[in-house]
Amino acid sequence: MTDDPPFSPALLPAGFVDLLTPDARTEARGVATLMDVFASHGYDSVRPPLMEFEETYLAGAGVALAEQCFRVMDPDTRRMMVLRPDITPQIARMAATRVAGSPRPLRVSYAGPCVVVAPVAAEESSRQIMQTGIELIGPDSPEADAEVMSIGAEALMRLGVKDVSFDLTMPPFIPALLEEAGVPAAQRPALMRALDRKDAAAVAQHGGALAATLIALLDATGAAEHTVAQLAELTLPPKARIVLDRLIDTVAAVREICPALRMTVDPVEFRGWKYHTGVCVTLFAVGRSEELGRGGRYLCNDNEPACGLTLRPDVLFRMIPPTPARARVYLAADASRQEAAALRSQGYATVRGFASGAQAEAEARHLGCGIILSGTQRVDLA
Amino acid sequence: MTDDPPFSPALLPAGFVDLLTPDARTEARGVATLMDVFASHGYDSVRPPLMEFEETYLAGAGVALAEQCFRVMDPDTRRMMVLRPDITPQIARMAATRVAGSPRPLRVSYAGPCVVVAPVAAEESSRQIMQTGIELIGPDSPEADAEVMSIGAEALMRLGVKDVSFDLTMPPFIPALLEEAGVPAAQRPALMRALDRKDAAAVAQHGGALAATLIALLDATGAAEHTVAQLAELTLPPKARIVLDRLIDTVAAVREICPALRMTVDPVEFRGWKYHTGVCVTLFAVGRSEELGRGGRYLCNDNEPACGLTLRPDVLFRMIPPTPARARVYLAADASRQEAAALRSQGYATVRGFASGAQAEAEARHLGCGIILSGTQRVDLA
């Protein structure tokens, strides 16, 4: 192309950023805090690689992410490799291979960057996303789902993120209901679209014999206990009832651990879930549109049940107070090395300078230092 | 290709690995320790992105790394993007753009993964490498070089890495000497090869009038003080003398801060340095062949002087004791939530179980727990 605009040396591709101080520090500290909460519940960290063979990554859970993968050729094997857009499918692979023999329930945590071809949600612009999460592999029960969600809630509380809403869904429910109720295949797309848009009139139009039930489901959406009460009274075909009851049981199991958690339920939601097979959850801060995390139940590559939750430190760090920097001490040319080391061990940052006297004071201020160390003497700048 | 061997779902591309427990934990803790040492010297963390436009990355310092970059097309702009093989050129870009206006000396630190097309050294197999480093931007002096190296030495000591050798070189010295001495261009390649192989006979053969000097330089290589003493006595053309004196001054400046540091000097070494313009250093553990880190002096994208050092936590974690896991407590079905939280805050990992009595004991052992919490009662397993 010859008509490209002049190229700025500062320009980064859309969705990729230079994170500066204090953001980089706040994010790194946030990741460490999250990983520490996960470790306190017995989740041991693993670190899968940034790239895998396409055939490996797109086997199992990863297949739904094919469109989100950047690909490059491995010059060694001439096979295609993908840059991971999501870590969970790597854990699903590991569970079936490297750690197939580890005792179950298997609890693992991870933290690392991922790259997606296009931002994952309309509210987002990032193409490099940071994931920090846990996976509980083996058990398939409401209690397992609740453990994962409650640890997520604790982690966010430790981080200082307030007013988080856990929005629960059951993506397989609506397809299961339409199937069991015998809604003709030709009718389903229009009905699914209507449900997705929460358009009660269109649901009434396309819902046939199910219309009243579906509208009751739409109406039920909201605060968890309200929804659960309404759902319990609904008449449903038996298989759909079992699927929905699992959602209800999970709400009860989460509530038992987290009495005060803000929790909503939308039994009709199914869109945007790629490889999930059971109860799913999306985390939002009240009044903000970006997702803080998401997770849910899926199957590992050998069909072993698993449940996970991934938090997004690159979103979260914008919602918490910046991690304070160490207070800075300017080391004049004659500063005692021993005293400087003592200050560092007390939590100060010492910044080596090459000036002394009045010049030292000017340079100290210039470099954000509130203290000067000269010899063994510490001078606090007013 | 139809004759590919059967593809294992566990297979990863050469040089990419799944890091498991405790390695992943040890590496993450190691990175945190290094970053903390850097912060204690006033180095603030930044986090440049995994990918950049090729035009941006290969401008300035990055150009020497073109062969190490995987490339993909950005579907938005149709421009090529590179997956970074090295973070330093990104800092060189930032210094000239985003943080061009920050006070100098500018001290930044970073930690993150990089991907190279082929392993960076014969002793290595990794293509995903982890970099944790610092850059000191602005000053161009032996003291600045010494600050960077001494912080690296302190960081390795804090990590518990023992017997590290700092091997100093001055890549521009030999080319400057040959130029100034008027060695004909046609003669230089053979002479450079001979010097690179430390082949004194070949150096004598191709060295012409410089042969005696070059052989004296070869002989000088070794422990820093020994080398410096020999180099001081050598007769050199004036410009080459200035270049070499800078190396000598840097050794003295490092020695002043780190009296006990194991330090060698090779004034003849020039190979493998891509974008460096002054004193460089490679870090090895005595008796091991993998590099622990490397760094040196270079120019930012607007030719501002800078000196950096990058450590390799993915190599270092294999040389230090594993970071211990939290002691694990099995929570029987009836375990007190409050007591469990108290144990976590005391540093235990609590692992939720769904069994009680004798079954709980078996499951606790199976999951690596040495303690069972039942109600508020803690039972230590023998």
Side-chain angles (χ1 to χ4, degrees), chain A residues 79-169:
Chain A
R79 292 182 193 269
M80 294 307 287
M81 304 193 292
V82 296
L83 195 50
R84 67 178 179 202
D86 187 4
I87 296 177
T88 301
Q90 300 188 295
I91 308 294
R93 167 183 60 73
M94 290 171 72
T97 56
R98 280 292 298 282
V99 293
S102 300
R104 266 48 174 175
L106 177 66
R107 290 170 169 93
V108 299
S109 64
Y110 53 86
C114 297
V115 176
V116 291
V117 170
V120 289
E123 307 76 38
E124 268 208 276
S125 59
S126 300
R127 292 197 286 172
Q128 174 173 333
I129 60 184
M130 183 73 192
Q131 293 192 330
T132 305
I134 51 175
E135 312 287 337
L136 174 53
I137 295 157
D140 178 2
S141 66
E143 289 72 27
D145 296 340
E147 171 175 327
V148 168
M149 290 188 218
S150 65
I151 292 170
E154 181 183 333
L156 290 172
M157 200 164 19
R158 264 277 288 286
L159 214 54
V161 180
K162 297 212 174 70
D163 293 329
V164 179
S165 179
F166 280 59
D167 297 349
L168 275 64
T169 62

Side-chain angles (χ1 to χ4, degrees), chain A residues 120-360:
Chain A
V120 289
E123 307 76 38
E124 268 208 276
S125 59
S126 300
R127 292 197 286 172
Q128 174 173 333
I129 60 184
M130 183 73 192
Q131 293 192 330
T132 305
I134 51 175
E135 312 287 337
L136 174 53
I137 295 157
D140 178 2
S141 66
E143 289 72 27
D145 296 340
E147 171 175 327
V148 168
M149 290 188 218
S150 65
I151 292 170
E154 181 183 333
L156 290 172
M157 200 164 19
R158 264 277 288 286
L159 214 54
V161 180
K162 297 212 174 70
D163 293 329
V164 179
S165 179
F166 280 59
D167 297 349
L168 275 64
T169 62
M170 187 57 155
F173 171 62
I174 288 292
L177 177 59
L178 301 196
E179 176 71 33
E180 197 176 5
V183 174
Q187 216 172 301
R188 287 185 210 172
L191 187 52
M192 297 286 268
R193 266 197 305 281
L195 288 166
D196 186 34
R197 293 197 316 271
K198 314 244 183 262
D199 179 345
V203 168
Q205 186 192 334
H206 299 288
L210 262 188
T213 304
L214 292 172
I215 289 171
L217 284 164
L218 281 184
D219 284 344
T221 295
E225 275 70 22
H226 159 83
T227 307
V228 162
Q230 297 212 348
L231 296 180
E233 287 179 11
L234 220 57
T235 306
L236 291 171
K239 285 183 199 158
R241 181 83 251 170
I242 290 170
V243 176
L244 193 63
D245 280 350
R246 174 59 180 274
L247 174 60
I248 292 173
D249 291 346
T250 297
V251 169
V254 174
R255 185 57 79 211
E256 201 190 326
I257 311 179
C258 305
L261 187 69
R262 194 189 296 253
M263 188 166 32
T264 73
V265 173
D266 182 347
V268 172
E269 179 81 29
F270 55 85
R271 239 174 51 119
W273 297 97
K274 302 280 191 185
Y275 47 77
H276 292 85
T277 59
V279 175
C280 289
V281 63
T282 318
L283 277 53
F284 289 96
V286 175
R288 293 181 67 121
S289 62
E290 313 131 285
E291 271 186 34
L292 309 183
R294 57 163 53 208
R297 184 153 286 285
Y298 61 96
L299 294 173
C300 293
N301 291 6
D302 57 356
N303 289 325
E304 186 177 15
C307 180
L309 180 70
T310 302
L311 300 176
R312 287 281 305 278
D314 53 338
V315 176
L316 293 166
F317 85 79
R318 284 178 250 142
M319 307 178 53
I320 57 177
T323 298
R326 288 167 172 249
R328 290 161 78 89
V329 177
Y330 181 86
L331 301 182
D334 64 348
S336 148
R337 289 231 166 84
Q338 205 174 349
E339 184 60 25
L343 287 171
R344 285 193 293 276
S345 72
Q346 289 162 36
Y348 290 95
T350 62
V351 180
R352 193 173 175 195
F354 304 99
S356 44
Q359 213 191 334

Side-chain angles (χ1 to χ4, degrees), chain B residues 6-293:
Chain B
F7 197 78
S8 156
L11 190 67
L12 292 173
F16 294 88
V17 297
D18 288 325
L19 217 57
L20 303 183
T21 295
D23 296 343
R25 179 171 62 234
T26 306
E27 186 189 88
R29 175 63 63 92
V31 169
T33 300
L34 296 174
M35 292 298 278
D36 186 51
V37 172
F38 300 158
S40 79
H41 287 276
Y43 287 74
D44 269 325
S45 61
V46 297
R47 198 206 66 183
L50 285 175
M51 301 180 89
E52 295 194 2
F53 286 124
E54 181 179 29
E55 288 173 78
T56 314
Y57 189 83
L58 299 185
V63 67
L65 301 168
E67 291 188 358
Q68 281 292 35
C69 294
F70 278 110
R71 290 163 174 82
V72 293
M73 193 177 70
D74 176 16
D76 275 5
T77 58
R78 314 285 170 92
R79 290 183 195 270
M80 293 307 287
M81 304 192 293
V82 297
L83 195 49
R84 66 176 180 205
D86 188 0
I87 296 178
T88 301
Q90 300 189 296
I91 307 294
R93 168 183 60 73
M94 290 171 72
T97 55
R98 280 292 299 280
V99 292
S102 301
R104 266 47 177 176
L106 177 66
R107 292 171 167 92
V108 298
S109 63
Y110 53 84
C114 297
V115 175
V116 291
V117 169
V120 289
E123 307 76 38
E124 267 207 277
S125 58
S126 299
R127 292 197 286 171
Q128 174 172 333
I129 61 183
M130 183 74 192
Q131 293 193 331
T132 305
I134 51 175
E135 312 287 337
L136 174 52
I137 295 157
D140 178 2
S141 66
E143 289 71 28
D145 297 339
E147 171 175 327
V148 168
M149 290 189 218
S150 65
I151 292 171
E154 181 184 333
L156 291 172
M157 202 166 15
R158 264 277 287 285
L159 215 54
V161 180
K162 297 211 174 68
D163 294 328
V164 179
S165 178
F166 280 59
D167 297 350
L168 276 63
T169 62
M170 186 59 155
F173 171 61
I174 288 293
L177 176 58
L178 301 197
E179 176 71 30
E180 196 175 4
V183 175
Q187 215 172 303
R188 287 185 209 171
L191 187 51
M192 296 286 269
R193 266 197 306 281
L195 288 166
D196 186 34
R197 292 198 316 272
K198 313 246 182 262
D199 179 345
V203 169
Q205 185 191 337
H206 299 288
L210 263 186
T213 305
L214 292 172
I215 289 171
L217 284 165
L218 281 183
D219 284 344
T221 296
E225 276 69 21
H226 160 83
T227 308
V228 163
Q230 298 216 350
L231 297 180
E233 288 180 11
L234 220 56
T235 307
L236 291 171
K239 286 182 197 159
R241 181 82 252 170
I242 290 170
V243 176
L244 193 64
D245 280 350
R246 174 60 181 271
L247 174 60
I248 292 173
D249 292 347
T250 298
V251 169
V254 174
R255 184 58 78 212
E256 201 190 327
I257 311 179
C258 306
L261 187 68
R262 193 188 297 251
M263 187 164 35
T264 73
V265 173
D266 183 345
V268 173
E269 179 80 27
F270 55 85
R271 239 172 52 116
W273 297 98
K274 302 282 191 185
Y275 47 77
H276 292 85
T277 58
V279 176
C280 289
V281 63
T282 319
L283 279 53
F284 290 97
V286 175
R288 295 181 65 123
S289 61
E290 313 131 286
E291 270 186 36
L292 309 182

